[in-house]
Amino acid sequence: MDASTRPTILLLPGLTGTSKESYILHMIHLSEELGYRCVVFNNRGMAGENLLTPRTYCCANTEDLETVIHHVHSLYPSAPFLAAGVSMGGMLLLNYLGKIGPKTPLKAAATFSVGWNIFACSESLEKPLNWLLFNYYLTTCLQSSVNKHRHMFVKLIDMDHVMKLFQ
């Protein structure tokens, strides 16, 4: 397949996910079998990277995603460009598409396990079984991430107060 026209798919992991997650690695494997070029969007401070500024990520802020999409598209402007987001990655992708609309270079997008009603999702995650299956893991990963980058925020906010949220 001609590299300049080989389809490219951008994968967006969930809240605490990275390019190293088994579900993302599985998506990469299947996409490559189909002949796609894969790019994974790792959020700021994730996948072992340090934060360079006192700013983290959130699904409402699409600036980093816009930058990545623009960059990848500029590398392969003749290639079909698609994206797929899982959970929070899907929320981020949908927010980006809502903001950019038809101006996006993406030819297609798919989202999986997106929480349409964030308040209902939060309430559901607090139920005993979901807390054990999902919320405990997500909370532990978030707490680890906050601890890792604590030094970036300590002069701006009361980090001890923030850490109490995880108790």
Side-chain angles (χ1 to χ4, degrees), residues 44 51-56 149 151-156:
R44 291 172 179 246
L51 284 177
L52 302 177
T53 62
R55 180 178 173 187
T56 187
H149 304 296
H151 67 281
M152 292 298 293
F153 301 100
V154 75
K155 292 181 181 176
L156 301 172

Side-chain angles (χ1 to χ4, degrees), residues 60-63 66 93-103:
N61 185 326
T62 63
E63 292 173 19
E66 291 171 42
L93 180 56
L94 290 171
N95 280 332
Y96 160 80
L97 290 170
K99 178 180 176 184
I100 300 300
K103 296 177 186 169

Side-chain angles (χ1 to χ4, degrees), residues 1-55:
M1 186 178 292
D2 180 6
S4 68
T5 59
R6 181 179 176 195
T8 302
I9 186 162
L10 176 63
L11 303 173
L12 292 84
L15 177 63
T16 61
T18 70
S19 53
K20 301 172 186 175
E21 304 300 324
S22 61
Y23 66 94
I24 292 294
L25 295 172
H26 187 70
M27 291 173 81
I28 291 169
H29 176 74
L30 291 175
S31 297
E32 287 178 338
E33 280 184 353
L34 293 170
Y36 287 77
R37 174 187 302 112
C38 294
V39 178
V40 179
F41 177 86
N42 284 317
N43 286 299
R44 291 172 179 246
M46 299 301 287
E49 296 297 320
N50 292 319
L51 284 177
L52 302 177
T53 62
R55 180 178 173 187

Side-chain angles (χ1 to χ4, degrees), residues 11 20 23 69 86 99 109 113 116 119 131 136 154 159 166:
L11 303 173
K20 301 172 186 175
Y23 66 94
I69 288 174
V86 179
K99 178 180 176 184
S113 298
W116 294 109
F119 298 110
W131 190 88
Y136 177 77
V154 75
M159 290 304 296
F166 294 109

Side-chain angles (χ1 to χ4, degrees), residues 14-17 87 125 131 133-144 166:
L15 177 63
T16 61
S87 191
L125 283 172
W131 190 88
L133 294 174
F134 305 109
N135 206 20
Y136 177 77
Y137 177 77
L138 291 172
T139 302
T140 302
C141 290
L142 282 173
Q143 185 175 17
S144 175
F166 294 109

Side-chain angles (χ1 to χ4, degrees), residues 56-112:
T56 187
Y57 62 94
C58 120
C59 66
N61 185 326
T62 63
E63 292 173 19
D64 289 346
L65 180 58
E66 291 171 42
T67 300
V68 168
I69 288 174
H70 176 75
H71 176 70
V72 172
H73 182 63
S74 71
L75 295 174
Y76 310 103
S78 300
F81 193 13
L82 309 96
V86 179
S87 191
M88 193 201 83
M91 293 171 78
L92 177 61
L93 180 56
L94 290 171
N95 280 332
Y96 160 80
L97 290 170
K99 178 180 176 184
I100 300 300
K103 296 177 186 169
T104 182
L106 296 175
K107 300 296 180 208
T111 60
F112 307 92

